[in-house]
């Protein structure tokens, strides 16, 4: 897939570039990002360089994962990361927010824009969000964006060599007032 940029009222969502390695490295020094995400711990500069120079471009090329740097348009400051994984009608969303930018609604704004794009431009019929049980910040963002927490999956989230229980939530196009690309037949009561 060709890289593209999404815009919101306050943000740009653009593919990560090699020049982002230092900002990614700095953001991923945050103990909360290392605790709640699958980034390596300790997070070394080489991890950021490999991710921005190799992993992200390769994933965009194949379409298996589309990761965006969430930046402010005025100065290009890295607010966080957000992306979708998968190529079928059901895809998974993931995100993190740099410590100095939490509490400003940036991740909610980025997640809403990404979801609308996935549903309207990518033919996605369902977005799934997963987070380790206890990651209240991620859950709050997902719920504000309209995700319905559907339960706990046991041992479904691998992180640093350990399988962890996770919350799982779903967002459908209809949750945002959008038509779906495919018909949906809900289970009867």
């Amino acid at each position: 897939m060709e890289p593209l940029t999404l815009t919101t009222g306050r943000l740009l969502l653009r593919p990560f570039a090699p020049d982002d390695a230092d900002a990614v490295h700095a953001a991923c020094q945050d103990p909360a990002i290392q605790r709640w995400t699958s980034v390596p711990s300790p997070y070394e500069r080489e991890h950021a360089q490999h991710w921005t120079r190799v992993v992200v471009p390769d994933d965009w090329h194949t379409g298996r994962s589309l990761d965006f740097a969430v930046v402010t348009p005025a100065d290009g400051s890295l607010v966080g990361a957000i992306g979708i994984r998968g190529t079928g009608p059901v895809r998974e969303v993931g995100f993190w927010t740099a410590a100095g930018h939490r509490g400003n609604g940036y991740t909610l704004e980025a997640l809403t824009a990404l979801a609308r794009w996935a549903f309207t431009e990518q033919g996605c019929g369902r977005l799934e969000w997963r987070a380790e049980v206890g990651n209240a910040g991620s859950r709050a963002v997902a719920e504000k964006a309209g995700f319905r927490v559907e339960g706990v999956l046991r041992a479904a989230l691998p992180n640093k060599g350990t399988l962890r229980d996770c919350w799982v939530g779903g967002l459908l196009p209809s949750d945002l007032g959008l038509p779906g690309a495919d018909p949906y037949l809900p289970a009867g009561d």
Side-chain angles (χ1 to χ4, degrees):
M1 175 170 195
E2 286 298 315
L4 58 95
T5 298
L6 304 175
T7 59
T8 72
R10 302 181 295 163
L11 302 168
L12 294 177
L13 283 67
R14 59 161 176 76
F16 280 94
D19 290 348
D20 294 316
D22 287 342
V24 169
H25 177 256
C28 290
Q29 298 310 299
D30 177 26
I33 290 175
Q34 291 187 26
R35 164 65 180 91
W36 296 115
T37 74
S38 60
V39 302
S41 181
Y43 194 80
E44 305 293 341
R45 179 165 271 101
E46 293 76 26
H47 294 123
Q49 290 170 338
H50 181 71
W51 194 67
T52 58
R53 293 178 182 167
V54 177
V55 175
V56 171
D58 286 354
D59 285 349
W60 270 90
H61 178 71
T62 63
R64 81 176 147 248
S65 185
L66 308 175
D67 287 301
F68 293 87
V70 180
V71 300
T72 56
D75 62 4
S77 293
L78 181 66
V79 169
I82 194 164
I84 57 174
R85 283 144 191 76
T87 57
V90 178
R91 301 184 191 174
E92 185 176 343
V93 65
F95 52 83
W96 55 256
T97 310
H101 295 285
R102 293 184 190 134
N104 295 313
Y106 290 141
T107 304
L108 174 60
E109 189 174 325
L111 180 55
T112 301
L114 183 70
R116 288 186 171 281
W117 173 75
F119 292 141
T120 61
E121 302 297 323
Q122 294 295 300
C124 184
R126 173 186 166 87
L127 281 176
E128 284 191 356
W129 157 87
R130 294 177 183 215
E132 184 177 338
V133 171
N135 188 346
S138 182
R139 182 174 176 156
V141 170
E143 288 180 324
K144 286 178 187 173
F147 283 79
R148 293 185 191 176
V149 177
E150 298 166 337
V152 173
L153 301 176
R154 297 180 308 140
L157 189 70
N159 191 355
K160 297 169 189 69
T162 302
L163 294 175
R164 300 167 191 262
D165 293 347
C166 70
W167 290 313
V168 63
L171 183 71
L172 306 180
S174 59
D175 296 332
L176 299 180
L178 300 170
D182 295 311
Y184 166 50
L185 179 63
D189 290 328

